[in-house]
Amino acid sequence: EAQVTQNPRYLITVTGKKLTVTCSQNMNHEYMSWYRQDPGLGLRQIYYSMNVEVTDKGDVPEGYKVSRKEKRNFPLILESPSPNQTSLYFCASSLLPSGYNEQFFGPGTRLTVL
Amino acid sequence: AQSVAQPEDQVNVAEGNPLTVKCTYSVSGNPYLFWYVQYPNRGLQFLLKYITGDNLVKGSYGFEAEFNKSQTSFHLKKPSALVSDSASYFCAVKEGSSNTGKLIFGQGTTLQVKP
C-alpha cells in the first residue's frame, strides 16, 4: 500500500530535550515536505527536499533541522524544543514539487513541549 | 503578497443539500489551485486540482470546484452533501513565481453536515 508513515504519532516532551520525528514514504517520490498545522493558520511549510541531499527552508524553519540521506526518509529534528513548537506536524511526499501535483500526507505527529 | 483566503471558519449544511466551501487567492502569474480534505485525526487527502483547461474541475467523492479568474476564486462544491463529508477542507495555491512548486495553504474550513 502506498503510504507516508510518521513516528511517533504523539509525543510529550520538555523544553530543550532533543527529539526526532521520522518520516518515510514507499512511493519513490523525490519531493518531500514538513508542515506544521496550528489553529487558524492552516499548514505552514517548515522544510522541503527536492531529492537526496537537497533540502531548503520553507516559511517557518527556525528551530528545526532536516536531513535527506535516503530517498524514502526525511526526518525532522528539533535540537532544543520550545513550547512554541507545540503543534501538529505533517510529512508529505509527491512525485513532483508540491505545487504541481498531488501530495501524499502522513497521519500526523502531535507534539507537546512543556 | 501571495495568499489564499477561506472566509468561513465553519460551514453547516443539512444532508442532501448542496454545499459550497469558498476560497479566494492572490498570486502572480497563472495559479495552480488545489483542494485537500482532512478527516478527524488523519492527514490531508487530495481532492482535486486546477492547472489549466476547463474551469469546472471534478474530483474525488463527488466534489467539484469552479475556477473563476475574474473573481480570483476557486470554490469547492457538491450537489448533495453527506454526513460523511464532515471534515476540514483546505484550499491551496502554488506560489506563482516559485520554481520549487511551493504551496500556500488557506486556514481551513470545517464542514458540518447534519442528518
Side-chain angles (χ1 to χ4, degrees):
Chain A
E1 179 190 356
Q3 61 182 349
V4 178
T5 56
Q6 293 178 231
N7 283 292
R9 294 289 312 278
Y10 302 91
L11 179 59
I12 300 174
T13 189
V14 295
T15 299
K17 186 176 181 181
K18 181 180 178 180
L19 66 91
T20 299
V21 183
T22 64
C23 172
S24 183
Q25 51 94 3
N26 63 0
M27 294 167 280
N28 202 36
H29 286 165
E30 292 190 349
Y31 193 91
M32 297 185 75
S33 291
W34 274 103
Y35 295 92
R36 61 178 289 172
Q37 183 179 19
D38 300 290
L41 295 178
L43 274 76
R44 294 177 293 167
Q45 191 180 55
I46 303 170
Y47 269 94
Y48 64 92
S49 170
M50 298 189 78
N51 213 326
V52 175
E53 302 291 2
V54 180
T55 64
D56 207 347
K57 297 176 181 178
D59 293 319
V60 288
E62 295 77 21
Y64 305 95
K65 286 175 58 177
V66 293
S67 69
R68 188 94 180 271
K69 293 183 169 50
E70 307 165 279
K71 199 171 189 178
R72 64 184 293 126
N73 296 323
F74 190 44
L76 179 70
I77 304 157
L78 284 71
E79 295 269 2
S80 183
S82 63
N84 65 10
Q85 292 178 298
T86 292
S87 188
L88 180 58
Y89 292 86
F90 289 101
C91 179
S93 74
S94 54
L95 193 58
L96 300 174
S98 59
Y100 293 99
N101 74 334
E102 173 186 1
Q103 283 188 101
F104 293 80
F105 283 80
T109 295
R110 187 167 293 280
L111 172 65
T112 300
V113 183
L114 302 174
Chain B
Q2 302 183 98
S3 64
V4 176
Q6 294 180 240
E8 300 155 317
D9 288 337
Q10 183 157 326
V11 171
N12 298 310
V13 299
E15 189 174 30
N17 283 1
L19 70 88
T20 299
V21 182
K22 295 180 181 177
C23 172
T24 60
Y25 65 90
S26 173
V27 294
S28 58
N30 293 321
Y32 289 24
L33 294 153
F34 298 79
W35 276 102
Y36 284 84
V37 60
Q38 184 181 29
Y39 298 103
N41 299 313
R42 302 283 296 276
L44 278 71
Q45 296 177 34
F46 171 81
L47 271 182
L48 52 80
K49 69 181 178 186
Y50 172 84
I51 304 293
T52 186
D54 194 346
N55 289 345
L56 186 63
V57 179
K58 294 192 183 299
S60 306
Y61 312 121
F63 283 92
E64 57 190 25
E66 186 169 12
F67 171 65
N68 188 316
K69 187 173 184 177
S70 62
Q71 297 186 4
T72 61
S73 68
F74 189 55
H75 300 332
L76 182 70
K77 300 181 181 185
K78 187 173 183 181
S80 179
L82 300 171
V83 173
S84 57
D85 292 329
S86 298
S88 293
Y89 292 82
F90 292 88
C91 181
V93 62
K94 180 181 89 69
E95 196 176 59
S97 60
S98 169
N99 61 0
T100 63
K102 178 183 166 185
L103 272 184
I104 303 168
F105 281 87
Q107 72 271 33
T109 298
T110 298
L111 173 67
Q112 292 274 13
V113 181
K114 298 198 187 307

Short mmCIF file of all heavy atoms in Angstrom, two decimals, chain A residues 9-10 31 35 37 40-45 48 50 58-59 88 90 97-108 110, chain B residues 9 32-34 36 38 41-46 49 51 88 90 93-95 98-108:
data_model
loop_
_atom_site.label_atom_id
_atom_site.label_comp_id
_atom_site.label_asym_id
_atom_site.label_seq_id
_atom_site.Cartn_x
_atom_site.Cartn_y
_atom_site.Cartn_z
N ARG A 9 3.37 9.10 16.72
CA ARG A 9 2.13 9.82 16.43
C ARG A 9 1.84 10.87 17.50
O ARG A 9 1.25 11.91 17.21
CB ARG A 9 0.97 8.84 16.38
CG ARG A 9 1.03 7.84 15.22
CD ARG A 9 0.77 8.52 13.88
NE ARG A 9 -0.40 9.39 13.91
CZ ARG A 9 -1.64 8.97 13.77
NH1 ARG A 9 -1.91 7.68 13.59
NH2 ARG A 9 -2.66 9.82 13.80
N TYR A 10 2.24 10.58 18.69
CA TYR A 10 2.03 11.52 19.81
C TYR A 10 3.33 11.58 20.62
O TYR A 10 3.96 10.55 20.85
CB TYR A 10 0.89 11.06 20.71
CG TYR A 10 -0.42 10.90 20.00
CD1 TYR A 10 -0.79 9.69 19.43
CD2 TYR A 10 -1.30 11.97 19.87
CE1 TYR A 10 -1.98 9.54 18.77
CE2 TYR A 10 -2.50 11.84 19.21
CZ TYR A 10 -2.84 10.63 18.66
OH TYR A 10 -4.02 10.49 17.99
N TYR A 31 10.15 14.41 -3.99
CA TYR A 31 9.85 15.65 -3.27
C TYR A 31 9.19 15.34 -1.94
O TYR A 31 8.20 14.62 -1.89
CB TYR A 31 8.93 16.52 -4.13
CG TYR A 31 8.78 17.93 -3.66
CD1 TYR A 31 9.64 18.92 -4.12
CD2 TYR A 31 7.78 18.28 -2.76
CE1 TYR A 31 9.50 20.22 -3.69
CE2 TYR A 31 7.64 19.58 -2.33
CZ TYR A 31 8.50 20.55 -2.79
OH TYR A 31 8.37 21.84 -2.37
N TYR A 35 5.35 20.07 7.33
CA TYR A 35 4.45 21.17 7.64
C TYR A 35 4.10 21.13 9.13
O TYR A 35 4.11 20.07 9.76
CB TYR A 35 3.13 21.04 6.87
CG TYR A 35 3.23 21.14 5.37
CD1 TYR A 35 3.40 20.01 4.59
CD2 TYR A 35 3.11 22.37 4.73
CE1 TYR A 35 3.47 20.10 3.21
CE2 TYR A 35 3.17 22.47 3.35
CZ TYR A 35 3.35 21.33 2.61
OH TYR A 35 3.41 21.43 1.24
N GLN A 37 0.77 22.42 11.56
CA GLN A 37 -0.61 22.90 11.48
C GLN A 37 -1.01 23.47 12.82
O GLN A 37 -0.96 22.78 13.84
CB GLN A 37 -1.56 21.76 11.10
CG GLN A 37 -3.00 22.21 10.92
CD GLN A 37 -3.92 21.07 10.53
OE1 GLN A 37 -3.62 19.90 10.71
NE2 GLN A 37 -5.06 21.41 9.97
N GLY A 40 -6.30 28.10 13.02
CA GLY A 40 -6.45 29.40 12.41
C GLY A 40 -5.35 29.80 11.46
O GLY A 40 -5.43 30.85 10.81
N LEU A 41 -4.32 28.96 11.33
CA LEU A 41 -3.18 29.31 10.47
C LEU A 41 -3.01 28.36 9.30
O LEU A 41 -2.14 28.57 8.45
CB LEU A 41 -1.89 29.33 11.29
CG LEU A 41 -1.81 30.40 12.38
CD1 LEU A 41 -0.50 30.28 13.15
CD2 LEU A 41 -1.94 31.80 11.78
N GLY A 42 -3.80 27.32 9.25
CA GLY A 42 -3.64 26.35 8.18
C GLY A 42 -2.32 25.61 8.30
O GLY A 42 -1.80 25.42 9.40
N LEU A 43 -1.77 25.19 7.17
CA LEU A 43 -0.50 24.48 7.16
C LEU A 43 0.60 25.44 6.71
O LEU A 43 0.44 26.17 5.73
CB LEU A 43 -0.54 23.30 6.19
CG LEU A 43 -1.09 22.00 6.74
CD1 LEU A 43 -2.60 22.07 6.85
CD2 LEU A 43 -0.68 20.83 5.85
N ARG A 44 1.71 25.38 7.41
CA ARG A 44 2.87 26.19 7.04
C ARG A 44 4.06 25.27 6.83
O ARG A 44 4.34 24.40 7.65
CB ARG A 44 3.16 27.24 8.11
CG ARG A 44 2.08 28.29 8.25
CD ARG A 44 2.40 29.26 9.37
NE ARG A 44 2.35 28.63 10.67
CZ ARG A 44 2.81 29.17 11.79
NH1 ARG A 44 3.39 30.35 11.75
NH2 ARG A 44 2.71 28.52 12.94
N GLN A 45 4.75 25.51 5.73
CA GLN A 45 5.86 24.63 5.38
C GLN A 45 7.09 24.96 6.22
O GLN A 45 7.48 26.12 6.33
CB GLN A 45 6.18 24.76 3.89
CG GLN A 45 7.12 23.71 3.35
CD GLN A 45 7.39 23.91 1.87
OE1 GLN A 45 7.80 24.99 1.44
NE2 GLN A 45 7.15 22.88 1.08
N TYR A 48 11.60 21.61 3.00
CA TYR A 48 11.29 20.69 1.93
C TYR A 48 12.57 20.14 1.33
O TYR A 48 13.67 20.68 1.55
CB TYR A 48 10.42 21.35 0.86
CG TYR A 48 11.07 22.50 0.12
CD1 TYR A 48 11.76 22.30 -1.07
CD2 TYR A 48 10.95 23.80 0.60
CE1 TYR A 48 12.35 23.35 -1.75
CE2 TYR A 48 11.53 24.86 -0.07
CZ TYR A 48 12.22 24.64 -1.24
OH TYR A 48 12.80 25.69 -1.90
N MET A 50 13.97 18.37 -2.43
CA MET A 50 13.65 18.02 -3.81
C MET A 50 14.35 16.74 -4.26
O MET A 50 14.07 16.25 -5.34
CB MET A 50 14.02 19.18 -4.73
CG MET A 50 13.22 20.45 -4.41
SD MET A 50 13.43 21.76 -5.61
CE MET A 50 12.35 21.17 -6.90
N GLY A 58 11.49 26.33 4.31
CA GLY A 58 10.15 26.76 3.96
C GLY A 58 9.86 28.09 4.64
O GLY A 58 10.73 28.94 4.80
N ASP A 59 8.63 28.25 5.10
CA ASP A 59 8.22 29.52 5.71
C ASP A 59 8.61 29.67 7.17
O ASP A 59 8.82 30.78 7.65
CB ASP A 59 6.70 29.67 5.60
CG ASP A 59 6.25 29.82 4.16
OD1 ASP A 59 6.92 30.54 3.41
OD2 ASP A 59 5.23 29.20 3.81
N LEU A 88 0.83 20.33 15.54
CA LEU A 88 0.57 19.09 14.80
C LEU A 88 1.43 19.13 13.55
O LEU A 88 1.35 20.08 12.76
CB LEU A 88 -0.91 19.00 14.45
CG LEU A 88 -1.39 17.78 13.67
CD1 LEU A 88 -1.07 16.49 14.43
CD2 LEU A 88 -2.90 17.89 13.42
N PHE A 90 2.99 17.42 9.98
CA PHE A 90 2.71 16.50 8.88
C PHE A 90 3.90 16.44 7.94
O PHE A 90 4.47 17.46 7.57
CB PHE A 90 1.50 16.96 8.08
CG PHE A 90 0.20 16.80 8.80
CD1 PHE A 90 -0.41 17.89 9.39
CD2 PHE A 90 -0.41 15.56 8.89
CE1 PHE A 90 -1.61 17.75 10.06
CE2 PHE A 90 -1.61 15.41 9.56
CZ PHE A 90 -2.22 16.50 10.14
N PRO A 97 7.32 18.59 -7.48
CA PRO A 97 7.14 19.60 -6.43
C PRO A 97 5.67 19.81 -6.10
O PRO A 97 4.81 19.73 -6.98
CB PRO A 97 7.77 20.85 -7.05
CG PRO A 97 8.84 20.31 -7.92
CD PRO A 97 8.28 19.03 -8.49
N SER A 98 5.40 20.12 -4.84
CA SER A 98 4.05 20.07 -4.29
C SER A 98 3.05 20.95 -5.03
O SER A 98 1.86 20.69 -5.00
CB SER A 98 4.07 20.45 -2.82
OG SER A 98 4.59 21.76 -2.66
N GLY A 99 3.51 21.99 -5.65
CA GLY A 99 2.60 22.90 -6.32
C GLY A 99 2.16 22.43 -7.68
O GLY A 99 1.34 23.07 -8.33
N TYR A 100 2.69 21.32 -8.14
CA TYR A 100 2.37 20.83 -9.48
C TYR A 100 1.50 19.59 -9.47
O TYR A 100 0.83 19.30 -10.46
CB TYR A 100 3.66 20.52 -10.26
CG TYR A 100 4.47 21.77 -10.55
CD1 TYR A 100 5.56 22.11 -9.76
CD2 TYR A 100 4.14 22.60 -11.62
CE1 TYR A 100 6.30 23.25 -10.02
CE2 TYR A 100 4.88 23.74 -11.88
CZ TYR A 100 5.95 24.06 -11.08
OH TYR A 100 6.67 25.19 -11.34
N ASN A 101 1.52 18.84 -8.39
CA ASN A 101 0.65 17.67 -8.39
C ASN A 101 0.32 17.26 -6.96
O ASN A 101 0.70 17.90 -5.99
CB ASN A 101 1.28 16.52 -9.18
CG ASN A 101 2.42 15.87 -8.44
OD1 ASN A 101 3.07 16.47 -7.61
ND2 ASN A 101 2.65 14.60 -8.73
N GLU A 102 -0.40 16.16 -6.85
CA GLU A 102 -0.92 15.69 -5.59
C GLU A 102 0.19 15.36 -4.60
O GLU A 102 1.17 14.72 -4.94
CB GLU A 102 -1.74 14.43 -5.85
CG GLU A 102 -2.22 13.70 -4.63
CD GLU A 102 -2.90 12.40 -4.99
OE1 GLU A 102 -2.98 12.07 -6.19
OE2 GLU A 102 -3.37 11.71 -4.06
N GLN A 103 -0.01 15.81 -3.37
CA GLN A 103 0.87 15.41 -2.27
C GLN A 103 0.18 14.31 -1.46
O GLN A 103 -1.04 14.32 -1.29
CB GLN A 103 1.15 16.58 -1.33
CG GLN A 103 2.15 17.59 -1.84
CD GLN A 103 2.50 18.59 -0.79
OE1 GLN A 103 3.53 18.51 -0.14
NE2 GLN A 103 1.64 19.56 -0.60
N PHE A 104 0.99 13.40 -0.94
CA PHE A 104 0.50 12.37 -0.04
C PHE A 104 1.00 12.71 1.36
O PHE A 104 2.20 12.91 1.57
CB PHE A 104 1.03 11.00 -0.46
CG PHE A 104 0.48 10.52 -1.77
CD1 PHE A 104 1.01 10.98 -2.97
CD2 PHE A 104 -0.58 9.64 -1.81
CE1 PHE A 104 0.50 10.57 -4.19
CE2 PHE A 104 -1.10 9.20 -3.02
CZ PHE A 104 -0.56 9.66 -4.21
N PHE A 105 0.05 12.76 2.29
CA PHE A 105 0.39 13.18 3.65
C PHE A 105 0.44 12.00 4.60
O PHE A 105 -0.33 11.03 4.48
CB PHE A 105 -0.66 14.18 4.16
CG PHE A 105 -0.51 15.56 3.61
CD1 PHE A 105 -0.99 15.87 2.34
CD2 PHE A 105 0.12 16.55 4.35
CE1 PHE A 105 -0.84 17.15 1.82
CE2 PHE A 105 0.27 17.83 3.84
CZ PHE A 105 -0.21 18.13 2.58
N GLY A 106 1.33 12.11 5.58
CA GLY A 106 1.35 11.16 6.67
C GLY A 106 0.21 11.44 7.64
O GLY A 106 -0.52 12.43 7.49
N PRO A 107 0.05 10.59 8.66
CA PRO A 107 -1.08 10.72 9.58
C PRO A 107 -0.91 11.82 10.61
O PRO A 107 -1.88 12.16 11.29
CB PRO A 107 -1.12 9.35 10.27
CG PRO A 107 0.30 8.89 10.22
CD PRO A 107 0.86 9.39 8.93
N GLY A 108 0.27 12.38 10.72
CA GLY A 108 0.49 13.48 11.64
C GLY A 108 1.15 13.05 12.94
O GLY A 108 1.02 11.90 13.37
N ARG A 110 1.44 14.67 16.80
CA ARG A 110 1.03 15.74 17.72
C ARG A 110 2.10 15.87 18.79
O ARG A 110 2.30 14.96 19.59
CB ARG A 110 -0.33 15.44 18.34
CG ARG A 110 -0.83 16.61 19.17
CD ARG A 110 -2.29 16.48 19.53
NE ARG A 110 -3.19 16.58 18.39
CZ ARG A 110 -3.57 17.70 17.82
NH1 ARG A 110 -3.10 18.85 18.26
NH2 ARG A 110 -4.42 17.69 16.82
N ASP B 9 -14.85 30.06 8.70
CA ASP B 9 -14.21 29.06 9.55
C ASP B 9 -15.03 27.77 9.56
O ASP B 9 -14.48 26.68 9.67
CB ASP B 9 -14.07 29.59 10.98
CG ASP B 9 -13.02 30.66 11.09
OD1 ASP B 9 -12.12 30.70 10.22
OD2 ASP B 9 -13.09 31.46 12.02
N TYR B 32 -1.95 27.65 -9.86
CA TYR B 32 -2.21 26.21 -9.76
C TYR B 32 -2.95 26.03 -8.44
O TYR B 32 -2.42 26.34 -7.39
CB TYR B 32 -0.92 25.41 -9.73
CG TYR B 32 -0.13 25.35 -11.02
CD1 TYR B 32 -0.24 26.33 -11.99
CD2 TYR B 32 0.77 24.31 -11.26
CE1 TYR B 32 0.50 26.28 -13.15
CE2 TYR B 32 1.51 24.25 -12.42
CZ TYR B 32 1.38 25.24 -13.36
OH TYR B 32 2.13 25.18 -14.50
N LEU B 33 -4.18 25.52 -8.49
CA LEU B 33 -5.05 25.51 -7.31
C LEU B 33 -5.41 24.10 -6.90
O LEU B 33 -5.61 23.22 -7.75
CB LEU B 33 -6.32 26.31 -7.62
CG LEU B 33 -6.09 27.80 -7.85
CD1 LEU B 33 -7.16 28.37 -8.75
CD2 LEU B 33 -6.04 28.54 -6.52
N PHE B 34 -5.53 23.90 -5.60
CA PHE B 34 -5.79 22.57 -5.04
C PHE B 34 -6.83 22.65 -3.93
O PHE B 34 -6.94 23.67 -3.24
CB PHE B 34 -4.50 21.98 -4.44
CG PHE B 34 -3.39 21.75 -5.41
CD1 PHE B 34 -2.59 22.80 -5.83
CD2 PHE B 34 -3.13 20.48 -5.90
CE1 PHE B 34 -1.55 22.60 -6.72
CE2 PHE B 34 -2.10 20.27 -6.80
CZ PHE B 34 -1.32 21.32 -7.21
N TYR B 36 -7.74 20.08 -0.56
CA TYR B 36 -7.43 18.91 0.23
C TYR B 36 -8.49 18.79 1.33
O TYR B 36 -9.03 19.80 1.81
CB TYR B 36 -6.05 19.02 0.88
CG TYR B 36 -4.89 18.78 -0.05
CD1 TYR B 36 -4.39 19.80 -0.86
CD2 TYR B 36 -4.30 17.52 -0.14
CE1 TYR B 36 -3.33 19.58 -1.72
CE2 TYR B 36 -3.23 17.29 -1.00
CZ TYR B 36 -2.75 18.31 -1.78
OH TYR B 36 -1.70 18.08 -2.63
N GLN B 38 -9.34 16.99 5.22
CA GLN B 38 -8.73 16.38 6.40
C GLN B 38 -9.84 15.85 7.30
O GLN B 38 -10.61 16.63 7.87
CB GLN B 38 -7.87 17.38 7.16
CG GLN B 38 -7.14 16.78 8.35
CD GLN B 38 -6.30 17.81 9.09
OE1 GLN B 38 -6.62 19.00 9.10
NE2 GLN B 38 -5.21 17.37 9.71
N ASN B 41 -8.30 13.39 12.97
CA ASN B 41 -7.14 12.56 13.34
C ASN B 41 -6.47 11.90 12.13
O ASN B 41 -5.87 10.83 12.27
CB ASN B 41 -7.54 11.49 14.35
CG ASN B 41 -8.08 12.09 15.63
OD1 ASN B 41 -7.50 13.02 16.19
ND2 ASN B 41 -9.23 11.61 16.07
N ARG B 42 -6.59 12.51 10.98
CA ARG B 42 -5.95 11.97 9.77
C ARG B 42 -5.13 13.07 9.10
O ARG B 42 -5.28 14.26 9.35
CB ARG B 42 -7.02 11.49 8.79
CG ARG B 42 -7.96 10.42 9.35
CD ARG B 42 -7.32 9.07 9.39
NE ARG B 42 -6.99 8.57 8.07
CZ ARG B 42 -7.84 7.94 7.27
NH1 ARG B 42 -9.07 7.73 7.65
NH2 ARG B 42 -7.44 7.50 6.10
N GLY B 43 -4.25 12.64 8.19
CA GLY B 43 -3.53 13.59 7.36
C GLY B 43 -4.42 14.10 6.24
O GLY B 43 -5.53 13.62 6.04
N LEU B 44 -3.94 15.09 5.52
CA LEU B 44 -4.71 15.65 4.42
C LEU B 44 -4.75 14.69 3.24
O LEU B 44 -3.80 13.94 2.99
CB LEU B 44 -4.09 16.96 3.95
CG LEU B 44 -4.45 18.21 4.75
CD1 LEU B 44 -3.80 18.19 6.11
CD2 LEU B 44 -4.05 19.47 3.99
N GLN B 45 -5.87 14.71 2.53
CA GLN B 45 -6.02 13.90 1.33
C GLN B 45 -6.36 14.82 0.16
O GLN B 45 -7.19 15.72 0.29
CB GLN B 45 -7.14 12.88 1.49
CG GLN B 45 -6.91 11.85 2.56
CD GLN B 45 -8.12 10.93 2.69
OE1 GLN B 45 -8.79 10.63 1.71
NE2 GLN B 45 -8.39 10.49 3.89
N PHE B 46 -5.76 14.55 -0.98
CA PHE B 46 -6.01 15.31 -2.18
C PHE B 46 -7.43 15.10 -2.69
O PHE B 46 -7.92 13.96 -2.74
CB PHE B 46 -5.00 14.86 -3.24
CG PHE B 46 -5.23 15.40 -4.62
CD1 PHE B 46 -4.82 16.66 -4.96
CD2 PHE B 46 -5.82 14.60 -5.59
CE1 PHE B 46 -5.00 17.14 -6.25
CE2 PHE B 46 -6.01 15.07 -6.88
CZ PHE B 46 -5.60 16.34 -7.20
N LYS B 49 -7.56 19.34 -8.38
CA LYS B 49 -6.67 20.44 -8.70
C LYS B 49 -7.10 21.10 -10.01
O LYS B 49 -7.73 20.47 -10.86
CB LYS B 49 -5.22 19.95 -8.83
CG LYS B 49 -4.97 19.07 -10.05
CD LYS B 49 -3.53 18.59 -10.10
CE LYS B 49 -3.30 17.67 -11.30
NZ LYS B 49 -1.96 17.07 -11.31
N ILE B 51 -5.11 23.19 -13.04
CA ILE B 51 -3.86 23.68 -13.61
C ILE B 51 -4.18 24.57 -14.81
O ILE B 51 -3.73 25.70 -14.92
CB ILE B 51 -2.93 22.52 -14.04
CG1 ILE B 51 -2.66 21.60 -12.85
CG2 ILE B 51 -1.64 23.05 -14.62
CD1 ILE B 51 -1.85 22.20 -11.74
N SER B 88 -12.52 18.88 7.63
CA SER B 88 -11.92 20.19 7.36
C SER B 88 -11.39 20.21 5.94
O SER B 88 -10.80 19.24 5.48
CB SER B 88 -10.78 20.48 8.34
OG SER B 88 -11.27 20.62 9.65
N PHE B 90 -9.17 22.32 2.96
CA PHE B 90 -8.10 23.30 2.79
C PHE B 90 -7.90 23.59 1.30
O PHE B 90 -7.71 22.68 0.50
CB PHE B 90 -6.79 22.77 3.37
CG PHE B 90 -6.79 22.66 4.85
CD1 PHE B 90 -7.23 21.50 5.47
CD2 PHE B 90 -6.35 23.71 5.64
CE1 PHE B 90 -7.24 21.39 6.86
CE2 PHE B 90 -6.35 23.61 7.03
CZ PHE B 90 -6.80 22.45 7.63
N VAL B 93 -2.68 27.07 -3.11
CA VAL B 93 -2.27 27.59 -4.41
C VAL B 93 -0.76 27.55 -4.51
O VAL B 93 -0.05 27.80 -3.52
CB VAL B 93 -2.80 29.02 -4.63
CG1 VAL B 93 -2.23 29.98 -3.60
CG2 VAL B 93 -2.50 29.50 -6.04
N LYS B 94 -0.27 27.21 -5.68
CA LYS B 94 1.18 27.25 -5.89
C LYS B 94 1.61 28.69 -5.99
O LYS B 94 0.99 29.48 -6.71
CB LYS B 94 1.57 26.50 -7.16
CG LYS B 94 3.08 26.52 -7.42
CD LYS B 94 3.45 25.82 -8.69
CE LYS B 94 3.43 26.70 -9.92
NZ LYS B 94 4.51 27.71 -9.91
N GLU B 95 2.66 29.01 -5.27
CA GLU B 95 3.23 30.34 -5.32
C GLU B 95 3.65 30.62 -6.76
O GLU B 95 4.43 29.86 -7.33
CB GLU B 95 4.42 30.41 -4.38
CG GLU B 95 4.88 31.79 -4.04
CD GLU B 95 6.00 31.74 -3.03
OE1 GLU B 95 7.03 31.12 -3.33
OE2 GLU B 95 5.83 32.30 -1.94
N SER B 98 7.30 30.56 -7.94
CA SER B 98 8.14 29.53 -7.33
C SER B 98 8.46 28.42 -8.31
O SER B 98 7.54 27.77 -8.82
CB SER B 98 7.45 28.95 -6.09
OG SER B 98 8.12 27.80 -5.65
N ASN B 99 9.75 28.16 -8.53
CA ASN B 99 10.09 27.01 -9.35
C ASN B 99 10.27 25.76 -8.49
O ASN B 99 10.55 24.68 -9.02
CB ASN B 99 11.36 27.30 -10.15
CG ASN B 99 12.55 27.58 -9.26
OD1 ASN B 99 12.42 27.54 -8.03
ND2 ASN B 99 13.69 27.84 -9.85
N THR B 100 10.10 25.93 -7.19
CA THR B 100 10.13 24.76 -6.31
C THR B 100 8.73 24.22 -6.08
O THR B 100 8.56 23.23 -5.39
CB THR B 100 10.74 25.11 -4.94
OG1 THR B 100 9.90 26.08 -4.30
CG2 THR B 100 12.14 25.65 -5.10
N GLY B 101 7.73 24.88 -6.65
CA GLY B 101 6.37 24.42 -6.53
C GLY B 101 5.79 24.58 -5.14
O GLY B 101 4.89 23.85 -4.75
N LYS B 102 6.27 25.53 -4.39
CA LYS B 102 5.80 25.71 -3.01
C LYS B 102 4.31 26.04 -2.98
O LYS B 102 3.81 26.84 -3.77
CB LYS B 102 6.59 26.84 -2.36
CG LYS B 102 6.17 27.15 -0.95
CD LYS B 102 6.96 28.34 -0.43
CE LYS B 102 6.33 28.88 0.83
NZ LYS B 102 7.01 30.09 1.28
N LEU B 103 3.60 25.40 -2.05
CA LEU B 103 2.17 25.62 -1.89
C LEU B 103 1.90 26.57 -0.74
O LEU B 103 2.56 26.52 0.30
CB LEU B 103 1.48 24.31 -1.57
CG LEU B 103 0.99 23.42 -2.70
CD1 LEU B 103 0.25 22.23 -2.14
CD2 LEU B 103 0.13 24.17 -3.68
N ILE B 104 0.90 27.44 -0.93
CA ILE B 104 0.39 28.28 0.15
C ILE B 104 -0.99 27.74 0.50
O ILE B 104 -1.85 27.63 -0.37
CB ILE B 104 0.29 29.74 -0.29
CG1 ILE B 104 1.64 30.26 -0.78
CG2 ILE B 104 -0.24 30.60 0.85
CD1 ILE B 104 1.55 31.58 -1.49
N PHE B 105 -1.21 27.42 1.78
CA PHE B 105 -2.48 26.87 2.22
C PHE B 105 -3.35 27.94 2.86
O PHE B 105 -2.85 28.84 3.55
CB PHE B 105 -2.26 25.76 3.25
CG PHE B 105 -1.86 24.44 2.65
CD1 PHE B 105 -0.51 24.17 2.41
CD2 PHE B 105 -2.80 23.49 2.32
CE1 PHE B 105 -0.12 22.96 1.86
CE2 PHE B 105 -2.42 22.26 1.78
CZ PHE B 105 -1.08 22.01 1.55
N GLY B 106 -4.66 27.81 2.66
CA GLY B 106 -5.60 28.60 3.43
C GLY B 106 -5.70 28.06 4.85
O GLY B 106 -5.14 27.02 5.18
N GLN B 107 -6.45 28.78 5.69
CA GLN B 107 -6.52 28.40 7.10
C GLN B 107 -7.49 27.26 7.37
O GLN B 107 -7.54 26.73 8.47
CB GLN B 107 -6.89 29.62 7.96
CG GLN B 107 -8.34 30.07 7.83
CD GLN B 107 -8.54 31.07 6.71
OE1 GLN B 107 -7.89 31.04 5.68
NE2 GLN B 107 -9.49 31.97 6.93
N GLY B 108 -8.24 26.88 6.35
CA GLY B 108 -9.15 25.74 6.50
C GLY B 108 -10.57 26.15 6.85
O GLY B 108 -10.82 27.16 7.49
#
